[in-house]
Amino acid sequence: MADTQKPLAREPRPADPAPPEGLMKYRTILLFGAPGSGKGTQGKILGSIPNLFHFACGDAFRNLRIDDPLGRIFVEYSSKGRLVPDEPTIKLWAKNIQASTLDGQFNPETDMLVLDGIPRSVNQAEMLKDTLDVKAVFNLTCADPAKMIERLQRRALRENRLDDANLEVIKERLETYERETKPVLEFYGPRLVHTIDSTQPPLAVVRDILAVLTRA
């Protein structure tokens, strides 16, 4: 006689902070560097080029409403110069990329992602390794910390950014970069990492980036 026992119900899958399974692997370049190194400037220039889609994680957090749970988390950490925890950061990134795909801003079939501000830790890089097909990492360097601080303070006045306004917070952000974010360069390795002097004029920096991309 046939077994009429009902199949066991599957247990619900635990929430995953990473992008949902099934997403295609995105062709990606990463803009890297300490706060004030010029990532945002280069991201905006590159994002104006057809088939390059710029996503700045910090801007996405700043655009959240203060009553949004992720917005409150961002203010709590950024006001102290600390990194937002990995899971909320990846969650916000995945949400924005999916929304940009649905509304037609980003076409994964034809466009390359230009990521600025993510991944910011080795753990984030691990969480994204099955989602990103990283073609190049551009490490924007500035040997003069005073110049980076000056850039950040000018930006604070221009854009009313609280995380750039306080000198102590800026110093904490620079230390956090050295301690938590810079090791991500080792995660991707010398084959993918290209070091570029960001003290050059912005157009010279983007020229150097595009010279690498044409060979990628």
Side-chain angles (χ1 to χ4, degrees):
M1 186 173 67
D3 187 357
T4 58
Q5 184 178 1
K6 292 182 179 180
L8 294 175
R10 293 182 179 179
E11 294 185 6
R13 185 174 179 270
D16 187 349
E21 291 182 8
L23 284 181
M24 68 180 297
K25 209 164 185 179
Y26 303 125
R27 292 180 305 123
T28 305
I29 62 174
L30 305 179
L31 296 178
F32 239 76
S37 62
K39 298 185 300 297
T41 297
Q42 292 305 312
K44 288 173 184 174
I45 295 173
L46 292 168
S48 68
I49 298 173
N51 300 121
L52 292 180
F53 179 76
H54 174 227
F55 174 80
C57 199
D59 289 347
F61 271 117
R62 291 181 194 91
N63 289 335
L64 294 172
R65 293 167 55 93
I66 194 63
D67 57 353
D68 186 296
L70 286 177
R72 290 196 296 269
I73 291 173
F74 172 73
V75 171
E76 176 188 352
Y77 283 85
S78 66
S79 63
K80 300 171 185 174
R82 296 161 57 196
L83 295 182
V84 177
D86 296 333
E87 292 192 5
T89 299
I90 299 296
K91 180 179 179 181
L92 179 71
W93 175 83
K95 180 179 177 181
N96 275 265
I97 294 301
Q98 290 172 42
S100 297
T101 303
L102 290 173
D103 68 16
Q105 293 184 64
F106 171 56
N107 182 347
E109 297 287 347
T110 59
D111 297 342
M112 181 177 286
L113 274 179
V114 179
L115 295 186
D116 159 11
I118 185 170
R120 284 193 175 180
S121 69
V122 172
N123 190 47
Q124 287 180 23
E126 285 280 2
M127 293 169 76
L128 291 170
K129 70 180 181 181
D130 293 328
T131 305
L132 303 182
D133 177 14
V134 177
K135 300 297 186 182
V137 180
F138 294 101
N139 179 28
L140 306 183
T141 61
C142 178
D144 184 1
K147 189 174 184 68
M148 290 191 290
I149 291 172
E150 180 186 348
R151 285 177 176 176
L152 291 169
Q153 290 179 321
R154 281 205 312 266
R155 185 171 68 184
L157 293 172
R158 188 172 62 247
E159 301 178 12
N160 193 30
R161 287 176 54 163
L162 297 177
D163 51 335
D164 290 338
N166 184 288
L167 184 58
E168 290 305 313
V169 172
I170 289 174
K171 289 179 178 177
E172 178 61 30
R173 290 183 66 199
L174 292 171
E175 291 174 6
T176 298
Y177 171 80
E178 292 291 329
R179 184 175 63 249
E180 298 185 43
T181 304
K182 198 171 183 179
V184 177
L185 295 172
E186 296 181 14
F187 176 88
Y188 289 109
R191 186 179 66 83
L192 291 178
V193 175
H194 305 270
T195 298
I196 294 177
D197 178 9
S198 70
T199 62
Q200 304 176 92
L203 288 179
V205 176
V206 79
R207 177 201 62 203
D208 291 349
I209 290 173
L210 292 175
V212 173
L213 287 182
T214 57
R215 302 194 301 267

